[in-house]
Amino acid sequence: MSGINFGFNTEGLEVVRHLRDQVSGRTFLITGPSEGGLGAETAISLAHAKPALLILVGRSLSKIQPTIDAIHAVNPSIAVKFIAADLTSLNSVREAARKILDDASITHIDVLINNAAVMACPYELTVDGFEMQFATAHLGHFVLTKHILPKLRASAGAGKPQTRIINVSSLGNTLGGIRWDDPSYTKRPEEYKPWDAYGQAKTANVLFTVALNKRLLAKTGIRSYALHPGGIYTPLLRYMNDELMEEITQRVMKGEMQLKTVQQGCATTLRAALDPELEKEGEDGVFLSDCQFTKDPELVAPRALDEEDAERLWGLSEELVGEKFEL
């Protein structure tokens, strides 16, 4: 398609307007769409092109209601369905998935956007005993994707726009890999460093994408992409201390770092979710930044794209959550 130059400054609304035919009449599920964040901005942007249904998965309706209100301010007729799920609790995720599967009004899901995350938080274990960042960004999405896969497969088929699973990662994947013998730091909690753990969680997002494509693409036509949305001031920064925030501010003022608006930040998610041209641009493309495929090691570590590590993480994830993810 022509008419848009994808890059750093591209905004989500530009992408949606350019690809409105890939939005209209389709069903999208987005995790973590709380007010002010990328998930919310993604959903609000999609509302401008008449999707059939937006399924918003979050901890509580009170956190998501402002996003629902913003969607209806764009178009009051858009169907929005809220599903409560706490991604730090696998039982909560399974219950949410069961509600989605049992809901006759959700006949299929065209695009799943695994967006929810927590960044650089103090050391904490979830109710299931997993490190908070790894559980929220990866294990919760691993279980959710597994259980709602029948709804995604119901969307896939010849002659239809491609069904996609989008995993919102970050260049934070370069900060640390998978701790294969101790992913939750339970054996050596003294080794916990918030940014190392964030790196592990974001690496897991990319490896999950690699493994999904190996299993799903040829057999079902479902494609998965991972991405770096950019540096953006969102509620995700709530655990950043004053010293680190000041460092970021100084780097921006000196021109050493560029920050995006949330509209610019959601653009890469939306291109990954919508654009059929991506299939032509890179058949083996996995990771996007600034709305373009990249293998720049400063943005995506080679280990995050490693097929053997992707298989190893799949097996580890199955072991940790106590269930197989099979087609």
Side-chain angles (χ1 to χ4, degrees):
M1 292 184 183
S2 60
I4 185 170
N5 293 316
F6 291 110
F8 180 95
N9 293 311
T10 304
E11 295 191 338
L13 282 174
E14 289 181 75
V15 178
V16 167
R17 287 167 179 150
H18 180 62
L19 297 166
R20 60 174 56 253
D21 290 346
Q22 304 294 318
V23 179
S24 180
R26 302 183 78 202
T27 296
F28 299 80
L29 188 153
I30 305 170
T31 68
S34 55
E35 184 178 20
L38 287 177
E41 198 69 19
T42 300
I44 296 164
S45 297
L46 287 167
H48 286 261
K50 299 182 180 179
L53 174 63
L54 295 175
I55 305 166
L56 305 182
V57 176
R59 283 176 178 255
S60 66
L61 180 58
S62 63
K63 287 183 176 293
I64 309 304
Q65 189 63 50
T67 304
I68 297 173
D69 293 342
I71 290 167
H72 285 151
V74 172
N75 185 339
S77 68
I78 291 176
V80 180
K81 189 175 291 286
F82 169 73
I83 302 289
D86 179 352
L87 287 168
T88 70
S89 165
L90 296 183
N91 282 341
S92 176
V93 173
R94 291 179 182 115
E95 175 62 18
R98 186 193 63 77
K99 289 179 181 177
I100 292 167
L101 292 175
D102 290 348
D103 191 330
S105 70
I106 305 175
T107 58
H108 64 277
I109 296 169
D110 294 291
V111 179
L112 166 62
I113 301 176
N114 290 323
N115 167 82
V118 63
M119 185 172 74
C121 59
Y123 183 53
E124 183 178 354
L125 297 179
T126 68
V127 65
D128 300 303
F130 304 127
E131 189 276 317
M132 184 64 68
Q133 299 185 74
F134 189 62
T136 305
H138 174 59
L139 292 177
H141 287 135
F142 182 84
V143 170
L144 178 66
T145 304
K146 178 228 167 167
H147 282 278
I148 67 172
L149 188 61
K151 296 284 187 176
L152 288 156
R153 294 189 72 170
S155 163
K160 297 180 180 179
Q162 190 174 57
T163 304
R164 290 185 179 171
I165 300 170
I166 308 305
N167 296 311
V168 179
S169 180
S170 163
L171 63 74
N173 75 83
T174 63
L175 298 175
I178 307 299
R179 289 167 55 92
W180 298 108
D181 71 326
D182 190 23
S184 289
Y185 296 83
T186 50
K187 296 177 183 176
R188 300 180 297 279
E190 70 280 0
E191 293 181 359
Y192 181 80
K193 295 179 181 178
W195 288 110
D196 288 353
Y198 183 65
Q200 173 177 245
K202 297 291 97 179
T203 295
N205 292 150
V206 187
L207 290 173
F208 184 36
T209 301
V210 172
L212 281 170
N213 282 329
K214 180 178 179 180
R215 285 163 172 76
L216 295 177
L217 186 56
K219 185 173 290 189
T220 68
I222 298 172
R223 165 82 76 170
S224 185
Y225 293 118
L227 62 102
H228 167 54
I232 310 139
Y233 281 121
T234 72
L236 194 65
L237 299 177
R238 62 186 176 274
Y239 292 109
M240 302 272 273
N241 59 36
D242 292 342
E243 182 181 349
L244 193 51
M245 289 297 289
E246 177 62 23
E247 179 185 338
I248 291 173
T249 300
Q250 291 301 318
R251 288 186 65 191
V252 171
M253 291 176 66
K254 292 176 183 177
E256 297 173 355
M257 180 180 182
Q258 283 185 291
L259 293 178
K260 292 186 176 186
T261 66
V262 285
Q263 256 298 300
Q264 292 169 334
C266 73
T268 303
T269 298
L270 286 164
R271 188 179 187 209
L274 302 173
D275 197 347
E277 292 295 305
L278 290 178
E279 300 166 58
K280 302 174 185 176
E281 289 184 12
E283 291 185 3
D284 63 344
V286 171
F287 192 88
L288 293 91
S289 177
D290 292 341
C291 297
Q292 304 281 358
F293 283 127
T294 183
K295 290 185 179 179
D296 182 344
E298 293 189 1
L299 295 171
V300 56
R303 56 174 155 66
L305 298 169
D306 186 89
E307 291 187 6
E308 290 185 6
D309 278 0
E311 290 305 303
R312 189 177 181 187
L313 178 64
W314 192 280
L316 175 63
S317 301
E318 289 181 327
E319 178 184 338
L320 292 172
V321 304
E323 57 183 291
K324 293 286 188 181
F325 188 159
E326 298 173 338
L327 298 189

